[in-house]
Amino acid sequence: MSSAKAFPSVRAFAIVTGGLLGLLLSTSIALADSFPGSVPKAICGPGDHTESGLQGETTVEERFSGDSERAYNCNLELVGQEPQAQFQGAFSQDGPAYSGDCAYYGTDRAATLQGIKVIDASDPQHPVVSAHLTDTPAALNPHETVQTNDRSHLLVAGQNGGPNFAVYDISADCRHPVLKASINMPGAQGHMGAFAPDGRTYYETQSFRGIGGFLYIVDLTDPSHPQELPPWQFFTDGRPHGLELNPEGFLPGVHEGTRLYAGQQGSFPFTSGRDGLVIEDVSDYQFRRPNPQIRIISKLFWTDQGEAEPMIPVTIKGHPYLISTDEAGGAGGHPGGLAGACARGQSLWGYPQIIDVGDETKPKIIAKLMLEVSDPANCLQQVNETPPDPPGTAPGTNLPPESGTTNYSEERCVANNPKNATMMACSFQNAGLRVFDIRDPYHPKEIAYWKPPAVRTEVRPSSGSWAPGVDRTVDKIAGWARWVVAGNSQDNNSNGTELELWTVSDGNGFQILRFTDNFKAQHKDLFENSGN
């Protein structure tokens, strides 16, 4: 391990325009009313404990009668979860990241000394905690920077709101990561991040993402001596809240790791910036060119949601798409809370969209995976049916106080096989983990969901949804899920019919799920060569 000194920063300043170096800049604004309402609801099986209200909703009766203390499930069932006796809670959006039989997730409550928790899931029915990473400021408070890369066998984290960046080696034993380096990047305030596919570059977004904000980039070619590359400053669009990069073969003729898919956050009235997708050329950083520049290729914004996060590349039937994410919806705007969003005709809650990027200069939304709770037609109904949990506003919603304590917005989506996707699992915060059939990307449909049991007033000091005295009548899933072919957790690209889903919730921690036998028997076509 080494305490490497950060590479001297050379700030790169640029206003990127449409004609820069001959790139065609396309900006589009998607209309909120150009698509139908919610996707078809999942048809649940016998014995499932299902929602009784709108798709995604946990009703007032369910929440305050105690019914939500039992998990809601539709075609998914629990296989195992981490031991609860000493569980202190999780920030479900702090990762999770995965490698081999292991999962990694963090908490932003540094004082609890939980750090990044390492889960050994080699026995799916009895996953156990194998380590707590607490040896760096980044591990103690990583927020959404926790990431792994299977090609470099690295686990990294950046300090939430601070300069520290830590690198761990997981090549020998994923259950016991080894610290390789801990550096400080002057001026950095980590928030979220992602690896380039080859594992040699990590992009860290920042707490400040307004005009003039920076993107920090780390060279991990030598993991024991990571080097800070020149940060990039944005004076116009392109400022990423969350981001992903293009994998190998995603776009014909485009080298992996040269396209950054930025989720630029904005909320009504969009005075600080528009909400949506910005496609950026980061070839200079990928190829380590001197005086690196980031160039904008195209933009696609929308006005019915709020707080865009990562834009996730998937291939469906050989064609490239991005899956959008928005963590707040119209409820994150000002003024007026939920009623204000209804008056504006916005969707209360964020939802995923499928975006065609076959022509990256003209990205186009082809489908909206909107739950009934996100349909503007159901807006006023929820205003009257979504009271705050006693004794008032609870943490963990990422919403202004006037919007209450429940957030059904989606934050992450993961395809069963990003190179040949047929299903997709999305984390919808208080609406739980929802699974969609996307074989026809123009007509996606819901096929399953899992909403973990509410822990109510149980003490969870490391949970992002906990505060003293708060009664949490819903749990939260906000991070990355993982698809695993049972018995082969090294990857999800093998033949098999027994698919597991790994996830983390604020109140219940790490969980492993499986599709019910009844669902698999009725949908054999979904599981044929499910990892290929």
Side-chain angles (χ1 to χ4, degrees):
M1 163 251 151
S2 68
S3 285
K5 192 173 182 179
F7 190 83
S9 298
V10 180
R11 304 287 183 187
F13 300 90
I15 300 178
V16 184
T17 61
L20 186 58
L21 298 185
L23 286 174
L24 176 62
L25 175 61
S26 169
T27 303
S28 300
I29 303 293
L31 299 177
D33 59 355
S34 57
F35 287 86
S38 56
V39 298
K41 296 173 67 171
I43 300 173
C44 304
D48 289 346
H49 183 219
T50 59
E51 303 166 331
S52 65
L54 296 171
Q55 181 187 31
E57 180 187 24
T58 306
T59 66
V60 173
E61 181 179 356
E62 290 170 338
R63 292 167 64 188
F64 294 101
S65 68
D67 192 60
S68 65
E69 295 172 39
R70 177 184 167 202
Y72 294 103
N73 71 303
C74 175
N75 301 323
L76 288 172
E77 59 190 9
L78 184 68
V79 175
Q81 70 182 111
E82 68 174 282
Q84 297 293 291
Q86 296 180 335
F87 176 63
Q88 294 190 35
F91 272 65
S92 59
Q93 73 265 43
D94 287 12
Y98 307 97
S99 181
D101 290 326
C102 298
Y104 311 89
Y105 71 84
T107 175
D108 293 351
R109 306 277 174 83
T112 63
L113 299 178
Q114 293 291 292
I116 294 175
K117 186 179 290 187
V118 183
I119 303 292
D120 174 2
S122 54
D123 179 353
Q125 293 184 359
H126 304 96
V128 296
V129 179
S130 60
H132 290 268
L133 305 182
T134 60
D135 49 359
T136 62
L140 283 170
N141 188 5
H143 199 50
E144 296 164 309
T145 64
V146 181
Q147 293 278 324
T148 55
N149 183 274
D150 284 337
R151 285 161 67 175
S152 62
H153 303 291
L154 296 177
L155 164 69
V156 302
Q159 184 181 5
N160 180 27
N164 189 245
F165 183 82
V167 183
Y168 296 85
D169 182 358
I170 52 177
S171 60
D173 184 354
C174 70
R175 298 169 299 177
H176 299 285
V178 176
L179 181 63
K180 299 292 287 185
S182 175
I183 67 172
N184 287 327
M185 299 187 292
Q189 294 185 325
H191 183 79
M192 193 179 293
F195 275 101
D198 61 12
R200 295 175 56 247
T201 313
Y202 183 85
Y203 295 82
E204 183 187 83
T205 72
Q206 301 295 293
S207 299
F208 174 71
R209 297 175 295 277
I211 297 295
F214 284 92
L215 177 65
Y216 279 71
I217 304 101
V218 184
D219 182 345
L220 294 166
T221 304
D222 180 355
S224 297
H225 300 91
Q227 301 292 319
E228 181 189 350
L229 297 175
W232 183 257
Q233 188 172 27
F234 293 90
F235 285 115
T236 182
D237 289 325
R239 311 179 304 279
H241 180 189
L243 58 89
E244 291 294 313
L245 291 102
N246 65 308
E248 181 181 8
F250 182 64
L251 295 174
V254 178
H255 194 282
E256 67 172 1
T258 61
R259 296 295 186 268
L260 186 152
Y261 302 121
Q264 177 176 295
Q265 72 177 61
S267 291
F268 187 86
F270 304 107
T271 52
S272 61
R274 293 174 289 183
D275 188 58
L277 163 70
V278 182
I279 300 179
E280 306 174 16
D281 183 343
V282 293
S283 301
D284 288 359
Y285 284 99
Q286 174 68 18
F287 298 130
R288 304 294 190 266
R289 293 170 181 151
N291 189 29
Q293 312 287 303
I294 292 179
R295 303 171 180 89
I296 293 179
I297 294 174
S298 60
K299 314 174 196 178
L300 177 63
F301 298 115
W302 41 86
T303 59
D304 63 326
Q305 302 191 62
E307 301 293 315
E309 284 201 326
M311 301 289 156
I312 302 152
V314 301
T315 298
I316 305 173
K317 296 180 178 178
H319 194 84
Y321 300 94
L322 296 176
I323 309 301
S324 70
T325 65
D326 273 83
E327 71 168 332
H334 295 276
L338 304 187
C342 293
R344 296 189 292 269
Q346 290 185 287
S347 167
L348 273 185
W349 318 112
Y351 56 87
Q353 302 170 119
I354 300 178
I355 303 172
D356 185 340
V357 289
D359 179 352
E360 65 175 356
T361 68
K362 297 177 181 178
K364 179 183 178 181
I365 297 171
I366 64 163
K368 298 191 173 192
L369 285 75
M370 185 184 295
L371 303 180
E372 288 179 349
V373 288
S374 297
D375 190 339
N378 300 319
C379 196
L380 287 175
Q381 177 181 339
Q382 293 175 80
V383 170
N384 298 322
E385 293 183 0
T386 311
D389 292 339
T393 298
T397 63
N398 301 313
L399 297 174
E402 61 267 29
S403 291
T405 62
T406 305
N407 189 344
Y408 296 129
S409 300
E410 165 259 359
E411 282 207 52
R412 310 279 190 276
C413 287
V414 180
N416 63 323
N417 182 351
K419 294 183 179 180
N420 185 19
T422 56
M423 292 182 282
M424 187 165 65
C426 298
S427 301
F428 275 81
Q429 299 189 65
N430 297 138
L433 187 70
R434 323 291 296 201
V435 184
F436 301 91
D437 178 348
I438 57 171
R439 288 175 295 180
D440 178 355
Y442 288 85
H443 303 96
K445 56 185 179 181
E446 183 188 55
I447 57 174
Y449 60 78
W450 172 260
K451 296 166 75 172
V455 297
R456 303 297 297 260
T457 58
E458 292 185 23
V459 177
R460 296 283 191 268
S462 296
S463 168
S465 300
W466 182 84
V470 167
D471 182 359
R472 296 306 285 137
T473 58
V474 288
D475 199 5
K476 174 183 176 181
I477 296 178
W480 300 101
R482 186 194 195 192
W483 296 81
V484 173
V485 178
N488 185 32
S489 57
Q490 297 299 320
D491 58 56
N492 64 339
N493 296 318
S494 300
N495 291 325
T497 58
E498 183 66 303
L499 278 181
E500 294 173 351
L501 277 166
W502 295 10
T503 189
V504 169
S505 72
D506 279 21
N508 290 273
F510 177 75
Q511 297 151 75
I512 295 178
L513 312 171
R514 66 183 291 273
F515 289 94
T516 62
D517 290 338
N518 177 74
F519 181 77
K520 288 187 295 181
Q522 295 186 40
H523 300 276
K524 293 180 180 179
D525 55 330
L526 269 174
F527 298 93
E528 293 175 354
N529 300 319
S530 55
N532 288 329

